[in-house]
Amino acid sequence: VPLLRHHFGLPDFEATRAGIEEIAAARILDVISLAPDQNAQESFFRQASMDPMLEGAGGVPVRTREQLEALKSASQTGNFPLMRIYSGTRDLVQWAELSAAAINNAWGAIPLCWYSTLDGRSDRSPETAIRENQEAMRWYGSRSLPLEVNESHHWSLRDAHDTIAVVMAYLAAYNAKAAGVSEYVAQYMFNTPPMTSAPMDLAKMLAKVELIESLHDQSFHSWRQVRAGLLHLSPRENMAKGQLAASTAIALQLRPHIIHVVGYCEGDHAATAPDVIESCDIVHGVLRNLLQGQPDMVNNPEVQQRKNMLVSEAEQLLEAIRCLGEEEERDPLASPRVLAEAIRTGLLDAPHLRGNSDAAGLLDTRAINGAILAWDKEAKRPLSEKERIDRIMANRAQTAVWAI
C-alpha cells in the first residue's frame, strides 16, 4: 500500500499547529509536508531582510526553531505521521541542518536549477544555484538521508516539451547519485501542463522511470512518488474531486511507493485541515477500488511508442549537453557550468523563460494529440529533437565565430 503525504501550511501559525493536530488525529495520512511561507524559505537565516508583504505567502510563517518543534509536537497524536519540509530557496544546507534537528525531516526536497533567477525565488544565477543545490545534495548524501529533487515538473509547469521534462528527471536523479545520495525519492507529477492527455502523460512518466531507474545499483535506489498536477485542478470543487480521483487512478499504473495527495481545493484556495482529510479520503477510495489491480495501460501500444520516442529523444539531448563539457570536466552532466550553459544556449529551455536574461527563452511548444512537442512557429509544424538540437548547436558555433 503506498504511503500518503499531503502539503499543509496556513498563513497563521496557530491555525497551522491546530490543523496538524487535527490531521494527525484523523489517522488519514502517513507524512505531513510542512509548507513554510516565502519569507521563511528565502530569509529564515536573514530575518532582517524579510518582506512584510510576503508574510504568510504560500505557507506558515515559521521564524524560530521552537516553532518548528511545536509543529512537530502537534503531529504526535493519532497515527503519529512523519513530518517533512521543503528546503529554503537559499541557505539550503542551514535549512537541511535545522529541519533534521527540529522535525526529524522524513526526507529532504531541493531543486537542481531552480530557486534562482530562473523563477525569481532567489537572486542566485543558475550556475550558482546549481552549485549550492549540489552542496545541499552532498549534505544529505554524506548522512545517508533520503532526498527528493524537485526539478522536472518545474520545466513542465513552464510549458517545456516532454523531452526536456524527461531529461530533467534523469539529470535530477543523476546529480543526486553523483552527490552520494543512496535513497532517492523520485516525484512524478501528472497532468502538467494541464492539456496533457492520460496516455501521453503515462508515456512521459514511464520514460522518466526508465531513465531514472537505469541508475539503480548497490549504491543508489529510487522510490516512486506520484501526484496530481496542481494547475489542472478546477476551481469548481466537485469537478476537482473527480480530477483528483482520475489522476490518482492513472498514476497507480506506475505502482508507486508514495502518493503525494494534492488538495482538491487548490484551484480555489490553500488546503485547510478538513480539506486535507477529505482529499486523502478521496485517494483512499481510489485505492480501495484499484489497489488489487486494474487493466494494464502501461503496455498499450500508443503509450509504449511514445515512451520509446521520448527515451530516444532524451538520449539525444543528454549527448548534446555532454558535448558542452570541456576536457577537464570529467562529468559534464554534473557540472554547474555545463548545465548553466545548456540553459543559456537553449538546450534546456521553456516558453515561460522568454525574456529571462539567464536563459535562451527561444522554445515554442504546442499540445498535439495530448503530447507537448517542440514547435517550429515559422513552418507551423512540430520540431524533432534532432532538428532542435542541430539548430541550437549551429547557432552556438556561429556565435563563437563572431566572438573571435
Side-chain angles (χ1 to χ4, degrees), residues 169-196:
Y170 175 78
L171 285 176
Y174 183 94
N175 276 266
K177 182 178 181 180
V181 172
S182 57
E183 298 296 332
Y184 181 73
V185 179
Q187 180 162 188
Y188 300 95
M189 183 189 285
F190 285 70
N191 322 109
T192 309
M195 50 280 205
T196 306

Side-chain angles (χ1 to χ4, degrees), residues 322-332 337-338:
R322 285 189 193 97
C323 289
L324 300 180
E326 296 175 351
E327 267 189 46
E328 66 275 12
E329 288 171 315
R330 293 181 302 167
D331 192 357
R337 187 201 65 79
V338 168

Side-chain angles (χ1 to χ4, degrees), residues 47-79:
Q47 296 197 18
S49 63
M50 285 185 174
D51 181 352
M53 295 294 290
L54 295 178
E55 189 76 6
V60 57
V62 288
R63 302 293 180 258
T64 65
R65 172 173 171 162
E66 289 71 26
Q67 285 182 314
L68 283 172
E69 290 171 341
L71 295 177
K72 173 66 176 179
S73 178
S75 71
Q76 300 304 286
T77 187
N79 66 335

Side-chain angles (χ1 to χ4, degrees), residues 262-294:
V262 178
Y264 69 84
C265 60
E266 291 288 349
D268 181 69
H269 62 271
T272 63
D275 294 330
V276 170
I277 293 166
E278 187 173 1
S279 297
C280 290
D281 261 338
I282 291 168
V283 171
H284 278 292
V286 175
L287 293 175
R288 177 174 293 183
N289 277 31
L290 298 179
L291 200 57
Q292 291 185 349
Q294 57 177 312

Side-chain angles (χ1 to χ4, degrees), residues 109-285:
I110 58 176
L112 176 61
C113 303
W114 301 90
Y115 299 170
S116 65
T117 54
L118 293 180
D119 55 7
R121 294 185 69 185
S122 82
D123 59 3
R124 302 183 300 170
S125 70
E127 184 171 345
T128 299
I130 293 164
R131 184 169 288 110
E132 291 182 357
N133 293 342
Q134 289 173 332
E135 181 187 357
M137 292 179 201
R138 285 190 289 273
W139 187 92
Y140 285 95
S142 67
R143 289 158 179 79
S144 300
L145 296 175
L147 180 67
E148 169 184 337
V149 180
N150 287 318
E151 182 64 29
S152 177
H153 62 259
H154 281 291
W155 295 88
S156 292
L157 285 165
R158 291 160 178 85
D159 291 346
H161 61 303
D162 293 338
T163 300
I164 283 180
V166 172
V167 162
M168 296 316 298
Y170 175 78
L171 285 176
Y174 183 94
N175 276 266
K177 182 178 181 180
V181 172
S182 57
E183 298 296 332
Y184 181 73
V185 179
Q187 180 162 188
Y188 300 95
M189 183 189 285
F190 285 70
N191 322 109
T192 309
M195 50 280 205
T196 306
S197 70
M200 296 299 98
D201 215 1
L202 185 56
K204 179 169 65 175
M205 298 310 165
L206 290 168
K208 293 181 184 183
V209 168
E210 183 169 318
L211 289 183
I212 289 173
E213 297 188 2
S214 73
L215 296 169
H216 283 191
D217 57 24
Q218 290 184 337
S219 69
F220 182 80
H221 179 268
S222 69
W223 301 90
R224 300 179 189 178
Q225 175 184 217
V226 299
R227 62 170 292 179
L230 193 65
L231 297 183
H232 98 292
L233 292 170
S234 171
R236 296 169 57 188
E237 292 191 0
N238 284 339
M239 182 178 289
K241 291 175 186 179
Q243 289 177 302
L244 174 60
S247 180
T248 304
I250 298 297
L252 286 178
Q253 292 285 317
L254 290 193
R255 300 184 180 275
H257 305 99
I258 305 166
I259 297 176
H260 177 174
V261 180
V262 178
Y264 69 84
C265 60
E266 291 288 349
D268 181 69
H269 62 271
T272 63
D275 294 330
V276 170
I277 293 166
E278 187 173 1
S279 297
C280 290
D281 261 338
I282 291 168
V283 171
H284 278 292

